[in-house]
Amino acid sequence: MNHPLSRRRFLAAMPALPLLAQSKPAKITAVEIWQVRGHRDTMRGVDQQYQANPLYIYDELRPPPYRDSANPTSTKAAVSALYLKIKTDADAEGFYGPIDKEVAIVVDEQLRPFLMGKDGLAQEKLWDQLYRSNRHARRGHFLMAISAVDNTLWDLRGRYFKTPVYRLLGGPTRSSVEAYASCLGYSLEPGKVQTRAAQIKKEGFRHQKWFLAYGPGDGYEGLRKNVDLVRILREAVGEDTELMFDVYSGWDLTYALEWAKQVERYRPRWIEEATQAEKIDSFAQLRKGTSIPVASGEHIQGRWEVYDYLKEGALSVVQCDPEWCGGTSELQKICALASVFDVPVIPHGHSLHAALHVIAAQSPAICPLAEYLILKMQSYYHFEKKPPAIQNARFALPEAAGYAIELDDAKVESREMIHWN
């Protein structure tokens, strides 16, 4: 009679597995802020359309309706950017950016001394220690500074292990990442909207996001313009293009519900940041009061705030930004949390490097898309040799180690390491 193998005998019968190599700590020896400067070509007088803004309830702060200039001018504009570099004693370093000045100051003055001598490979430990190191770490510039450090350390680890970050995050779930076209800055003049929307569709984008310009301070005329824009876009792109709309917290619940009632027939994919981020109940009521999905997240920072939204049923789409919410590490946790509620995460597109790698390593059910700010990305990575490149609305997954950010010496006219303390 055959007897089943005991667990010990079964394991002993298996082929020997190679031992995993134990990597030595990579102690941080330097945390540097580098500023690079140069010039780029730019056009003035076009693509400066403003979006709705909470301040525009004040007559003296609300701008007049925007129109592109009939005679735009080209010029050379001075540009600069800040990048963070973290060095270790293991012949490995991380490099990430651009980062905001306010963030760089916090990194330089408060995080740099704390990081010196720490193991740059100890991702979870370092994030937790940085978060616990300051009473204000849960949001604002301090959390944004943690984000910058975290993203830089993920680049360091990728370079140390000679692999792209998305492979360290679990490996690719797709061969390329689809993006939606984010149309911030394009004029909302009806004829130009029709032409641009049709062109964007022709370029392969199946999703477009437009930024509504008017809010409660503009009265019913402004509301009518916001409704008309939705109609014009739907007529321009047909039924097979998803249309999303963003108002940058410039509305209130009553206004949002009225707009939603008038445009539901055009099937918007979502309405984004309908009011200020702290008004969770307003988001929940809006979601209950319309069939239009409700999105927000770029100003929601950290998994605890995301949980507050999700448990109230306030969001259909989470849009946290890895540059602001706590970095690559925290965005991963937010994705896991959102998956419990069956809510997708489509990161805000302030920057692309970290967001693309997180998306690439998540299930398409959790992270189906990236945001591509068309106009911003024409110049945001001006100093980089190989910025993220989009083709037919998709980003191919990079194969270089880390985030593979490398400056283009031909575009850098000067560079200096700077300190604020």
Side-chain angles (χ1 to χ4, degrees):
M1 182 176 180
N2 293 329
H3 295 282
L5 288 173
S6 69
R7 181 173 181 274
R8 180 178 296 178
R9 290 174 61 196
F10 174 75
L11 291 175
M14 292 180 65
L17 296 175
L19 294 175
L20 294 175
Q22 296 291 324
S23 59
K24 296 180 180 179
K27 292 186 177 180
I28 296 173
T29 58
V31 178
E32 302 171 350
I33 307 292
W34 284 89
Q35 184 172 55
V36 290
R37 294 188 175 91
H39 289 81
R40 66 174 180 85
D41 296 326
T42 186
M43 293 292 294
R44 291 183 175 170
V46 295
D47 298 335
Q48 296 295 313
Q49 171 71 57
Y50 62 84
Q51 62 185 121
N53 188 298
L55 280 172
Y56 294 169
I57 61 169
Y58 292 95
D59 293 343
E60 70 272 19
L61 298 178
R62 189 168 58 254
Y66 173 84
R67 297 180 66 89
D68 279 343
S69 171
N71 299 294
T73 57
S74 61
T75 185
K76 284 277 188 181
V79 290
S80 66
L82 296 169
Y83 285 83
L84 175 59
K85 178 181 288 188
I86 298 179
K87 299 179 178 179
T88 69
D89 64 358
D91 195 28
E93 60 183 42
F95 189 67
Y96 195 85
I99 63 173
D100 296 334
K101 179 181 177 181
E102 297 85 353
V103 172
I105 293 172
V106 176
V107 171
D108 187 52
E109 292 187 343
Q110 299 189 54
L111 301 190
R112 179 173 58 84
F114 184 85
L115 288 166
M116 298 300 292
K118 302 291 194 304
D119 181 6
L121 302 179
Q123 170 260 321
E124 186 65 27
K125 178 181 178 180
L126 267 181
W127 194 98
D128 192 54
Q129 288 182 344
L130 290 172
Y131 190 79
R132 293 172 181 270
S133 71
N134 190 287
R135 70 186 74 178
H136 302 297
R138 68 186 184 278
R139 64 179 61 189
H141 290 148
F142 201 95
L143 186 58
M144 292 164 68
I146 292 176
S147 304
V149 169
D150 184 74
N151 291 335
T152 307
L153 288 174
W154 274 107
D155 178 68
L156 186 152
R157 295 173 198 117
R159 294 174 191 259
Y160 182 89
F161 293 110
K162 297 180 174 57
T163 192
V165 170
Y166 64 81
R167 293 195 179 277
L168 296 179
L169 300 179
T173 60
R174 65 206 87 179
S175 60
S176 63
V177 172
E178 185 176 7
Y180 72 84
S182 197
C183 302
L184 180 62
Y186 283 137
S187 173
L188 299 183
E189 298 166 74
K192 293 190 175 182
V193 166
Q194 291 174 319
T195 301
R196 285 205 170 101
Q199 178 59 38
I200 290 168
K201 179 179 179 179
K202 188 179 296 184
E203 291 170 3
F205 289 97
R206 300 191 301 158
H207 312 74
Q208 301 184 22
K209 185 170 79 179
W210 289 78
F211 294 75
L212 299 167
Y214 306 104
D218 297 288
Y220 187 78
E221 180 185 0
L223 178 64
R224 181 182 56 77
K225 290 179 179 179
N226 286 334
V227 172
D228 284 347
L229 178 63
V230 182
R231 174 185 56 79
I232 290 167
L233 283 164
R234 178 55 71 206
E235 292 171 354
V237 299
E239 294 296 325
D240 58 345
T241 294
E242 298 278 16
L243 292 171
M244 299 90 90
F245 297 92
D246 188 335
V247 293
Y248 188 59
S249 305
W251 294 354
D252 55 34
L253 176 61
T254 301
Y255 191 99
L257 285 169
E258 179 59 30
W259 176 84
K261 181 173 68 176
Q262 296 194 39
V263 303
E264 278 182 320
R265 55 183 167 161
Y266 302 117
R267 299 185 304 99
R269 173 65 180 82
W270 72 60
I271 177 61
E272 181 174 333
E273 287 203 308
T275 189
Q276 288 95 335
E278 65 273 14
K279 298 179 180 179
I280 298 177
D281 187 59
S282 291
F283 283 91
Q285 290 188 55
L286 177 60
R287 192 170 182 228
K288 292 174 183 176
T290 178
S291 63
I292 299 171
V294 174
S296 189
E298 67 184 88
H299 298 123
I300 303 174
Q301 299 184 323
R303 76 198 88 141
W304 296 276
E305 284 193 88
V306 174
Y307 177 69
D308 287 339
Y309 272 83
L310 294 178
K311 72 180 180 180
E312 297 300 325
L315 290 180
S316 313
V317 181
V318 171
Q319 299 170 303
C320 292
D321 189 320
E323 315 293 316
W324 300 344
C325 74
T328 300
S329 298
E330 187 66 3
L331 185 57
Q332 280 188 291
K333 293 180 172 68
I334 289 169
C335 289
L337 173 62
S339 72
V340 175
F341 291 85
D342 204 21
V343 172
V345 177
I346 303 177
H348 176 243
H350 166 76
S351 189
L352 287 171
H353 291 298
L356 287 176
H357 282 251
V358 172
I359 294 168
Q362 292 287 326
S363 164
I366 302 304
C367 289
L369 292 167
E371 178 177 14
Y372 181 64
L373 281 154
I374 299 173
L375 292 174
K376 179 179 182 179
M377 292 304 153
Q378 289 177 0
S379 60
Y380 186 66
Y381 296 117
H382 171 74
F383 295 105
E384 296 183 19
K385 186 173 290 187
K386 295 181 180 179
I390 195 165
Q391 186 173 11
N392 197 32
R394 288 186 173 271
F395 291 97
L397 299 191
E399 290 300 328
Y403 287 124
I405 300 171
E406 183 181 357
L407 298 183
D408 186 347
D409 291 337
K411 294 181 178 179
V412 177
E413 297 172 15
S414 67
R415 71 183 77 195
E416 63 174 327
M417 187 171 64
I418 57 178
H419 288 290
W420 282 273
N421 56 2

